[in-house]
Amino acid sequence: MDNGPNSPKLETGAHPFAGTPCDRLRAVRARIARAAAEAGRDAATVRLLAVSKTFAAAAVRAMAACGQHEFGENYLQEALEKQIALSDLPLQWHFIGPIQSNKTRAIAGNFSWVHGVDRLKIADRLSAQRPAGWPPLQVCIEVNVSGETSKGGMTVAELPALAEAVSKLPGLRLRGLMAIPAPATGMAAQRAAFRRVREAYDALIACGHALDTLSMGMSADLEAAVLEGATIVRIGTALFGER
């Protein structure tokens, strides 16, 4: 099993621009707190997912020593190797990359969360392959609100049917939506894209789905995401540096 032909080399986590891992973590948490305060929200309602893809286990260990315990990975083999290297730590692992059918068993057996289910076939396999006796795999459906052909995700119109099907799978628990809108310049444009995600989320709740998670916002736009209701922000560059 490999990480794919375009998998980048693991980086050590050196950052010429931003001090220690704990400094960077504090800075990101402060950004979240300021955005939450502006939105009239409790900062505790926004979870920080540290996206550690392409950075070595030592960089994850350093961030964990600062109090960060949830990490997101895109490349399966890389993630599994890190999980073994860091098995002495109480970490929670989220898979956030595109999912190929031949990787569902390993994902179902080694992760707590999946951000990015975008078709029923993958959801069916994750559910069936979740180990017996384990709690359900927590999943978010990926929605493509910007209509980018280069990205996965359901259209807003397709969401209700997939949400209904996923919510019935015994090995999964549907928690909400995940999105990576097209890059936008300026707060107003960023917020407009995230608002479309939130509106789709609200519509699913209105249909009776018990959702509680909006996974959206990254290093460059986390403030806009928090202002529009994000409950998980996925931060890589601001924590670990440029890839």
Side-chain angles (χ1 to χ4, degrees):
M1 200 181 301
D2 62 29
N3 295 334
N6 299 315
S7 298
K9 182 179 178 182
L10 291 184
E11 302 291 344
T12 60
H15 312 280
F17 62 92
T20 69
C22 294
D23 290 338
R24 296 190 296 274
L25 182 60
R26 281 192 293 269
V28 170
R29 287 179 172 168
R31 288 176 62 189
I32 293 170
R34 287 193 296 269
E38 184 177 344
R41 301 175 58 190
D42 183 345
T45 64
V46 185
R47 292 163 61 186
L48 171 57
L49 180 62
V51 179
S52 46
K53 66 176 183 179
T54 79
F55 289 97
V60 176
R61 187 176 292 276
M63 198 62 65
C66 300
Q68 177 64 30
H69 298 296
E70 293 188 82
F71 292 88
E73 292 282 335
N74 287 57
Y75 304 112
L76 180 58
Q77 187 60 30
E78 177 192 320
L80 297 178
E81 291 168 0
K82 287 181 198 174
Q83 288 177 5
I84 292 170
L86 300 165
S87 60
D88 58 307
L89 298 178
L91 305 181
Q92 186 179 82
W93 296 95
H94 298 231
F95 192 84
I96 58 177
I99 300 174
Q100 299 171 350
S101 295
N102 65 348
K103 296 183 178 181
T104 54
R105 185 176 298 277
I107 291 170
N110 290 281
F111 292 83
S112 298
W113 282 74
V114 168
H115 301 233
V117 170
D118 64 357
R119 57 196 189 278
L120 184 56
K121 175 184 177 181
I122 294 300
D124 277 331
R125 290 176 66 88
L126 290 171
S127 177
Q129 294 167 347
R130 185 70 167 169
W134 284 30
L137 185 63
Q138 313 297 297
V139 301
C140 292
I141 294 174
E142 182 175 3
V143 56
N144 187 338
V145 294
S146 302
E148 294 176 278
T149 57
S150 62
K151 291 180 181 175
M154 310 294 292
T155 67
V156 171
E158 294 169 327
L159 276 176
L162 183 59
E164 186 66 25
V166 170
S167 68
K168 294 177 180 177
L169 294 173
L172 308 182
R173 180 184 170 194
L174 178 59
R175 298 293 295 267
L177 300 180
M178 172 269 205
I180 307 175
T185 300
M187 178 67 74
Q190 291 174 352
R191 289 191 65 171
F194 290 129
R195 190 175 304 121
R196 292 195 294 273
V197 184
R198 178 173 51 80
E199 288 169 350
Y201 169 85
D202 290 342
L204 290 177
I205 292 174
C207 290
H209 292 286
L211 308 181
D212 61 7
T213 302
L214 270 175
S215 172
M216 59 187 193
M218 298 187 292
S219 295
D221 56 14
L222 75 83
E223 286 84 0
V226 171
L227 287 167
E228 292 299 334
T231 64
I232 296 179
V233 291
R234 306 180 308 274
I235 308 300
T237 301
L239 292 174
F240 295 102
E242 296 289 345
R243 293 182 171 84

